[in-house]
Amino acid sequence: MSNNGNGNHVKVLVLGAGPAGLSAALYAARAELAPVVLTGMQLGGQAALTHTIENYPGFPEGVGGAQLGELFQKQAEHFGAKVEYDLANEVDFSQRPYMVKTDGGEYKADTVIISTGASPLHLEVPGEVELTGRGVSYCATCDGWFFKDKKVVIVGGGDSAFEEALFITRYASSVTLIHRRDEFRAGAILQKRANEHPKMKFILNTVVTEVLGSDKMEALRLKNVKTGEETIFEADGLFIFIGHKPNTEMFQGKLSMSNLGYIQVNDKMETNVPGVYAAGEAADPHFRQVITSAGMGAAAAIQATRFLEAEEG
Ligand code: NAP
């Protein structure tokens, strides 16, 4: 935890140390702005929770999610970024320098780059946490490949569930989508594609009440919400797509946000407050990839640099 944040006045304060935050820090550091990064709860962001990342360019054999985060951090620090294990919990963007209160103290910042990420919603059933990474996943792009020729279950009835289920059909031998109602939110085209796919099956009006297995997931306990009937469904993988929640509660009422809580930015990553930028999944409900978040972070830092240069005349 930071013990030197008190009274610190920095040119660039980065909130969050996932791909967006650490890329922003790298660019700001190379512009000699001595950025400070507050890690928040998850150094490396969601990517650090992924076993292997195989779609980040430059790593033809893939790279561990946590390892990639460490490399990002090392590179940013090499150019002078300072990474503090501290959590921002209050911001004041009403006047400059902006104020950010943290668990460890308080920062004043000329510019702020928000890269606090998003968190997948959890089912919150027994076994889910214990078997995450051992069959339970929240990212098809990251983990789909590990389920080659395996039996996979998807939970959710929205666009994400359908899109990701169709993606996993590339690998899995069967993909069963389980939904708590008998109507889907997903768009008609996605529904049609899924219905017509030979590997896709559907179980409706049903919820997962427990993930079963010791070392790895082996089965799910299901409950039909209409009849109350409980069944055991054997499967190797469970992908949960019941929505994401951007980690932006702290900025409610202080920045323009979508009704889903994503911070609204323009194509320069500018929020509605001058000198405050947002990058990565806190501002991106669409792509949610390491490379896109890193790109947004770099863009935010370039823009912050230009903003400070313009101010300095
Ligand atoms: P979403 O539209 O909010 O759908 C979440 C789904 O999960 C709903 O079907 C919901 O069921 C179900 N659900 C929620 N909590 C649950 C729980 N505790 N147990 C079981 N099921 C639960 O989320 P999303 O699919 O991630 O999409 C988010 C936004 O991004 C949407 O606006 C979507 O259109 C958009 N999106 C667009 C695309 C695309 O255009 N290609 C792709 C992905 C996402 P109920 O239906 O019963 O509430």
Side-chain angles (χ1 to χ4, degrees):
M1 192 178 292
S2 166
N3 55 15
N4 59 0
N6 282 314
N8 258 9
H9 187 159
V10 298
K11 287 184 177 169
V12 180
L13 187 65
V14 181
L15 307 184
L22 292 172
S23 301
L26 170 64
Y27 274 71
R30 283 177 56 80
E32 306 210 308
L33 294 171
V36 170
V37 185
L38 306 182
T39 58
M41 299 291 277
Q42 179 66 56
L43 179 60
Q46 287 186 82
L49 304 174
T50 305
H51 180 265
T52 310
I53 296 176
E54 293 180 328
N55 54 8
Y56 191 78
F59 297 91
E61 310 297 327
V63 58
Q67 189 194 355
L68 185 61
E70 282 164 24
L71 290 170
F72 279 176
Q73 179 180 353
K74 205 169 161 188
Q75 195 170 357
E77 286 176 334
H78 175 71
F79 291 102
K82 198 168 170 197
V83 175
E84 294 283 2
Y85 294 83
D86 201 353
L87 180 70
N89 48 45
E90 193 185 331
V91 295
D92 182 356
F93 294 151
S94 63
Q95 57 180 16
R96 295 187 70 219
Y98 300 130
M99 189 278 297
V100 176
K101 279 193 185 156
T102 71
D103 282 357
E106 188 173 313
Y107 285 85
K108 292 186 179 70
D110 294 332
T111 63
V112 177
I113 297 175
I114 298 165
S115 46
T116 46
S119 305
L121 295 175
H122 292 196
L123 287 175
E124 293 176 11
V125 295
E128 182 182 10
V129 171
E130 294 83 347
L131 294 169
T132 293
R134 296 157 185 255
V136 178
S137 172
Y138 302 86
C139 176
T141 320
C142 320
D143 298 331
W145 190 89
F146 299 107
F147 293 89
K148 221 172 166 89
D149 302 324
K150 305 270 188 197
K151 202 171 158 188
V152 167
V153 166
I154 309 284
V155 175
D159 284 325
S160 296
F162 274 75
E163 207 166 67
E164 306 292 335
L166 285 163
F167 178 78
I168 293 169
T169 58
R170 296 176 193 205
Y171 309 105
S173 55
S174 76
V175 176
T176 304
L177 190 141
I178 296 179
H179 183 38
R180 63 184 178 183
R181 295 189 293 142
D182 57 3
E183 278 176 23
F184 299 113
R185 287 176 193 270
I189 293 172
L190 279 173
Q191 287 196 44
K192 186 169 182 287
R193 280 176 52 209
N195 273 319
E196 288 171 356
H197 199 289
K199 283 189 186 174
M200 292 263 339
K201 301 181 176 104
F202 297 87
I203 300 179
L204 303 180
N205 297 313
T206 297
V207 290
V208 172
T209 54
E210 189 175 356
V211 186
L212 303 166
S214 43
D215 272 359
K216 62 181 179 62
M217 178 187 138
E218 286 157 15
L220 300 171
R221 190 186 302 282
L222 306 182
K223 184 178 175 187
N224 183 304
V225 294
K226 293 244 157 122
T227 64
E229 187 194 354
E230 285 201 343
T231 48
I232 302 294
F233 188 89
E234 285 181 14
D236 306 292
L238 169 65
F239 284 80
I240 300 164
F241 299 110
I242 59 170
H244 268 81
K245 196 168 169 293
N247 303 321
T248 56
E249 293 86 352
M250 199 189 343
F251 311 106
Q252 280 289 351
K254 300 183 177 181
L255 294 175
S256 290
M257 289 189 194
S258 72
N259 54 7
L260 293 173
Y262 291 91
I263 298 172
Q264 286 175 326
V265 291
N266 62 16
D267 58 1
K268 293 175 178 152
M269 305 303 132
E270 292 167 329
T271 68
N272 62 315
V273 175
V276 177
Y277 306 86
E281 294 191 27
D284 168 27
H286 301 295
F287 299 114
R288 299 181 182 140
Q289 299 296 303
V290 175
I291 187 166
T292 50
S293 290
M296 290 173 81
I302 291 169
Q303 203 55 30
T305 306
R306 290 179 182 161
F307 176 84
L308 291 170
E309 277 170 1
E311 258 188 348
E312 282 163 19

